[in-house]
Amino acid sequence: MFEAGAEVARFTAHMNLQVAEEMKTISHFFILLIVLSLASCDNRKGHNIIPMSALLSDPDRIIGKQVVVVGFLGRGQDLYLTKDHSEINDRSSSLFLNLPDRDRRFLIENCQNEYVEVVGTYDFVEIKGAVNRLGIVDIELIQNQLTGKNCLQAN
């Protein structure tokens, strides 16, 4: 009978260790969830981080607001939803980046064909001799998404 009691005690101790390990894993999961939630609340300089798909699908809700958006910098001053959209020049999946000539030159030299993060105001852009387009005006920052390099500065 003593051996059966010892066996039950070992089994109980083993189960307690398993439960403790599972609780530790669950705790780590919730800590990770909290950290990711806090990270997603990051507001660059108080701006709204907006998915580009939201800007394209519901522009009236966001027009005139300062935003942070990530996209693929394709030809010229077009910010595309993805690299694939850039390759087929899908303008319906792009935003126009309204920049002066000097900044445009740096942008193309430094970050063309890369994913970039843009901070500016979401609005309609008037283009001489063309139809107005949705885009980013009053641009404060364009940086390489992976390296963080400022695209608007000389190399």
Side-chain angles (χ1 to χ4, degrees), residues 4 8 11 14 21-22 26 34 36 40 60 64 69 71-72 106 109-110 113-114 118 120 123 125 127 130 137 140 154:
V8 169
F11 177 76
H14 176 73
E21 282 299 313
E22 289 177 7
I26 291 170
I34 290 168
L36 291 175
S40 70
D60 294 334
V69 64
F72 187 82
F106 289 136
E109 288 174 6
N110 294 328
N113 297 319
E114 300 285 340
V118 180
D123 213 337
V125 180
I127 302 170
V137 300
E140 296 175 23

Side-chain angles (χ1 to χ4, degrees), residues 124-136:
F124 285 102
V125 180
E126 292 183 30
I127 302 170
K128 291 180 183 176
V131 175
N132 292 351
R133 291 186 55 197
L134 288 171
I136 308 294

Side-chain angles (χ1 to χ4, degrees), residues 2-136:
F2 180 73
E3 288 181 326
E7 189 65 30
V8 169
R10 277 195 298 273
F11 177 76
T12 302
H14 176 73
M15 291 305 291
N16 286 341
L17 285 175
Q18 278 188 325
V19 168
E21 282 299 313
E22 289 177 7
M23 292 300 291
K24 184 177 175 184
T25 301
I26 291 170
S27 296
H28 286 135
F29 173 77
F30 280 111
I31 289 170
L32 178 62
L33 187 63
I34 290 168
V35 167
L36 291 175
S37 295
L38 291 174
S40 70
C41 293
D42 175 27
N43 281 346
R44 304 287 167 105
K45 299 178 186 173
H47 304 307
N48 300 315
I49 300 173
I50 306 288
M52 190 165 167
S53 57
L55 295 176
L56 294 168
S57 65
D58 191 10
D60 294 334
R61 185 174 67 86
I62 306 164
I63 248 351
K65 294 184 180 174
Q66 291 187 321
V67 297
V68 176
V69 64
V70 174
F72 187 82
L73 183 62
R75 302 173 198 163
Q77 295 170 244
D78 289 326
L79 184 69
Y80 291 89
L81 191 59
T82 67
K83 182 178 181 181
D84 292 337
H85 289 100
S86 172
E87 289 174 354
I88 62 170
N89 197 26
D90 180 9
R91 291 258 170 103
S92 66
S93 296
S94 72
L95 299 173
F96 185 79
L97 302 179
N98 192 29
L99 293 166
D101 289 340
R102 179 181 161 278
D103 287 344
R104 186 178 319 132
R105 189 182 78 240
F106 289 136
L107 181 66
I108 291 168
E109 288 174 6
N110 294 328
C111 294
Q112 188 148 25
N113 297 319
E114 300 285 340
Y115 281 92
V116 296
E117 182 176 288
V118 180
V119 179
T121 302
Y122 181 64
D123 213 337
F124 285 102
V125 180
E126 292 183 30
I127 302 170
K128 291 180 183 176
V131 175
N132 292 351
R133 291 186 55 197
L134 288 171
I136 308 294

